[in-house]
Amino acid sequence: MVRIAGADRYEVSAAISASIAYPRLPVPVAYVVSGEAFPDALSASAVAGTLGGPVLLVTKSTIPDAIRAELTRIKPRKIIVLGGANSIDASVEAQLGAYSSSVNRIAGADRYEVSALASAGVFEVAPTGPGVDTLFLASGESYPDALSGAPATAATREGALPGPLLLTRRGDLPAVVEAEIRRLRPERIIILGGANTISDEVLAKLRTIQPAAFRIGGTDRYDTSIAISSFVGQSDTIYVTSGQNFPDALSGGPAGIIGRSPVFLTSPNAIPASLATYLSRPENKPKRIIILGGPSSVSPAVEAGFAAYLAP
């Protein structure tokens, strides 16, 4: 049992990156996003993990010391700032030049355009070749389903092209996201979450683009995270994070992708019954559980409770 914690969300972000077994240093890329809002980080998780780099959090106007130290350690070949100047000041972008010779910003009119642009910068599809294998779609208005969804993007079927996690509104598919989906020509589209999160109208629209479009949902966010884990596959290691607070989990997506490990959501003060049932099955017992966040995110009692589900 391991807990990755820190004095604040920025220290947790740096500590999660420090825990990742990167294939080599320097890392190819680091995505830098706001730690004060979740949408840009949700878009960054899948692309960062696919490229083998972390998602690191900053404030609007400063680079926290813990993030500076981690950037110095990993020496990213390039840094991508995700989000506009309202999220991260130009002064922060300039300061990031001290840690990489290549610093670029991806910004858009809103979180949906940023999501599409982040995907377009990573996932290449030849005009006459096959499209990506699986494209995941999550809410841009609610964070829980996307927190668990990022590691699923690594579970590409053999020989197929990986795909992104894109954001959508609940009631309609943004035009920029639709255009990116059409460019990627996915073999299947998977909506993360129930109809209260992403409507059946959006699902119907997706089926006009790709008939093999369906949703993964559950009775709640905890149930949904278990359902999503089936696309990640079995792993000796699992990540657990709060389903009621996003900051500590924002950097966890790349860790899950690189480690091919699922991210499960828990209540801060109790292990959800559905997750307890899932982990109690012998075939699902992990050898290692990594909790993301401090005791206010996942209580010591819950940490102790998870120990009972470790494989012998």
Side-chain angles (χ1 to χ4, degrees), residues 242-261:
S242 171
Q244 297 181 21
N245 193 19
F246 66 84
D248 291 337
L250 291 180
S251 297
I257 291 173
I258 293 169
R260 300 297 174 103
S261 303

Side-chain angles (χ1 to χ4, degrees), residues 29-48 54-60 79-89 92-93 96 103-108 110-122 165 167 250:
V29 63
Y31 280 77
V32 172
V33 301
S34 169
E36 298 165 310
F38 63 83
D40 294 336
L42 298 182
S43 296
S45 287
V47 292
V55 172
L56 298 172
L57 307 184
V58 298
T59 74
K60 180 179 180 181
I79 294 174
I80 296 177
V81 177
L82 209 59
N86 288 334
S87 297
I88 298 175
D89 280 345
V92 171
E93 182 180 357
L96 289 169
V103 179
N104 295 291
R105 183 189 292 265
I106 296 176
D110 55 27
R111 63 192 64 183
Y112 307 105
E113 187 172 7
V114 170
S115 172
L117 291 172
S119 169
V122 172
L165 187 154
L167 304 183
L250 291 180

Side-chain angles (χ1 to χ4, degrees), residues 19-34:
S19 76
I20 297 173
Y22 296 113
R24 65 188 63 85
L25 295 179
V27 298
V29 63
Y31 280 77
V32 172
V33 301
S34 169

Side-chain angles (χ1 to χ4, degrees), residues 146-197:
L147 294 180
S148 296
T153 63
T156 301
R157 290 173 288 194
E158 188 174 354
L161 298 174
L165 187 154
L166 297 173
L167 304 183
T168 184
R169 288 186 285 265
R170 179 193 176 277
D172 67 279
L173 185 66
V176 289
V177 175
E178 179 181 347
E180 179 62 1
I181 293 171
R182 291 185 182 277
R183 182 188 73 84
L184 292 170
R185 303 193 307 279
E187 293 293 323
R188 60 182 179 176
I189 300 172
I190 300 177
I191 287 178
L192 304 179
N196 289 332
T197 302

